[in-house]
């Protein structure tokens, strides 16, 4: 079993890194200029968050952040499968953003009280930025979720497609009991409970219907290195420049 601190940090950092790169793919493709800027800004935030977490891993004896980010292959990543899916249409990316960032804001609010003080310090900074991510997601979900019949239909379909992947955010690992008992984190079950309450409040203000989550089968495996066919091509693209000369300073 991986050390609980390493287990938790790798999951956090890999989620941020991979979704940050996915969100950056909206640069120049957003439905309006405002969304080009918004998704690019949020992508930059997530990459910054991942760097801070990889730096904590380095302090615990792991490799340099760039090495960890750009030299591992698919089975070595601990991100949930939700983060690695292609951006698709805007409805999917928006729903993914909504579901993921609600979980992340609640996660980092809880991590601000972690017994591991270096992580708590990072969380206190990150949660402030995530509040704006959630505000952005809520604004657009409410806007499109109460708009035309086509918009509502597409958003509902995106929600139903994405939810099983979103439940994979809360996949536990063998380190979970020690993570909770040592005060590192409140645990995935409690986080999921808070998340369900949070997203329900927003969706209740729209024409969208939240399916019964108890009837859904979570898409899991990502925390154990089991990923979709989409992750390795993304990793290859991310690492292309770094692998030309890993010793170069930029």
């Amino acid at each position: 079993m991986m050390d609980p601190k390493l287990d938790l940090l790798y999951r956090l950092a890999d989620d941020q890194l991979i979704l940050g790169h996915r969100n950056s793919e909206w640069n120049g493709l957003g439905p309006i200029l405002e969304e080009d800027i918004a998704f690019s800004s949020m992508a930059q935030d997530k990459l910054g968050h991942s760097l801070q977490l990889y730096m904590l891993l380095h302090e615990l004896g792991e490799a340099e952040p760039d090495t960890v980010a750009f030299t591992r292959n698919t089975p070595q990543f601990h991100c949930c499968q939700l983060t690695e899916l292609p951006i698709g249409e805007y409805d999917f990316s928006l729903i993914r953003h909504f579901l993921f960032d609600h979980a992340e804001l609640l996660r980092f609010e809880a991590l601000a009280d972690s017994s591991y003080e270096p992580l708590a310090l990072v969380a206190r900074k990150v949660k402030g930025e995530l509040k704006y991510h959630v505000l952005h997601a809520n604004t657009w979900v409410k806007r499109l979720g109460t708009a035309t019949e086509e918009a509502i239909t597409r958003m509902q379909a995106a929600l139903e497609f994405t939810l099983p992947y979103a439940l994979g955010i809360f996949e536990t690992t063998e380190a979970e009991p020690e993570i909770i008992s040592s005060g590192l984190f409140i645990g995935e079950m409690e986080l999921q409970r808070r998340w369900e309450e949070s997203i329900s409040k927003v969706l209740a203000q729209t024409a969208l219907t939240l399916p019964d989550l108890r009837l859904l089968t979570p898409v899991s495996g990502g925390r154990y290195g089991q990923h979709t066919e989409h992750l390795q091509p993304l990793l290859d693209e991310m690492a292309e420049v770094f692998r030309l000369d890993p010793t170069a300073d930029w």
Side-chain angles (χ1 to χ4, degrees):
M1 184 178 72
M2 185 183 292
D3 176 270
K5 289 179 183 176
L6 299 182
D7 178 281
L8 180 60
L9 286 170
Y10 268 114
R11 287 188 278 131
L12 296 173
D14 288 351
D15 275 354
Q16 296 290 325
L17 176 70
I18 299 304
L19 188 53
H21 275 274
R22 279 301 187 209
N23 281 350
S24 73
E25 294 175 355
W26 275 109
N27 189 16
L29 299 176
I32 57 175
L33 179 60
E34 178 186 22
E35 287 306 278
D36 273 9
I37 297 170
F39 265 87
S40 295
S41 177
M42 290 185 291
Q44 187 175 34
D45 284 346
K46 291 192 186 311
L47 295 179
H49 300 164
S50 72
L51 175 58
Q52 293 179 68
L53 295 164
Y54 287 132
M55 288 174 66
L56 292 183
L57 283 164
H58 184 49
E59 292 172 5
L60 292 172
E62 299 298 284
E64 293 277 354
D66 283 350
T67 301
V68 173
F70 298 128
T71 63
R72 289 179 296 154
N73 290 313
T74 293
Q76 297 168 296
F77 270 78
H78 304 273
C79 54
C80 61
Q81 291 188 19
L82 174 67
T83 63
E84 66 203 48
L85 298 177
I87 60 173
E89 298 291 339
Y90 182 72
D91 47 14
F92 165 71
S93 279
L94 176 59
I95 289 293
R96 171 165 62 180
H97 161 40
F98 170 72
L99 297 175
F100 180 83
D101 280 309
H102 267 266
E104 287 303 275
L105 175 57
L106 293 167
R107 184 185 296 279
F108 280 91
E109 285 178 342
L111 287 169
D113 296 319
S114 174
S115 60
Y116 178 38
E117 187 59 22
L119 177 55
L121 289 173
V122 169
R124 288 165 198 157
K125 177 181 178 182
V126 167
K127 69 176 184 176
E129 296 175 345
L130 288 173
K131 287 180 180 179
Y132 290 100
H133 293 201
V134 169
L135 176 61
H136 173 269
N138 289 351
T139 298
W140 278 98
V141 166
K142 291 176 185 177
R143 183 179 299 180
L144 294 176
T146 55
T148 64
E149 182 178 350
E150 179 186 1
I152 293 169
T153 299
R154 292 186 60 165
M155 290 287 284
Q156 183 67 42
L159 179 65
E160 293 174 7
F161 171 81
T162 309
L163 272 169
Y165 287 94
L167 292 175
I169 295 171
F170 312 104
E171 180 180 8
T172 59
T173 66
E174 294 175 352
E176 182 79 353
E178 190 170 346
I179 286 173
I180 296 172
S181 64
S182 65
L184 281 174
F185 181 56
I186 57 174
E188 300 301 323
M189 183 179 296
E190 173 60 19
L191 177 63
Q192 182 175 343
R193 185 193 67 77
R194 297 181 185 184
W195 171 79
E196 290 178 12
E197 183 178 299
S198 182
I199 63 170
S200 295
K201 289 179 179 178
V202 178
L203 293 173
Q205 301 174 55
T206 73
L208 304 177
T209 301
L210 181 66
D212 187 341
L213 300 181
R214 295 169 298 179
L215 301 179
L216 302 180
T217 301
V219 177
S220 58
R223 304 309 189 190
Y224 289 91
Q226 300 166 19
H227 297 283
T228 69
E229 70 273 17
H230 306 295
L231 182 57
Q232 190 60 52
L234 176 62
L235 297 178
D236 293 339
E237 181 179 282
M238 284 166 44
E240 185 176 2
V241 174
F242 177 80
R243 287 175 174 169
L244 291 175
D245 186 357
T247 64
D249 290 327
W250 300 87

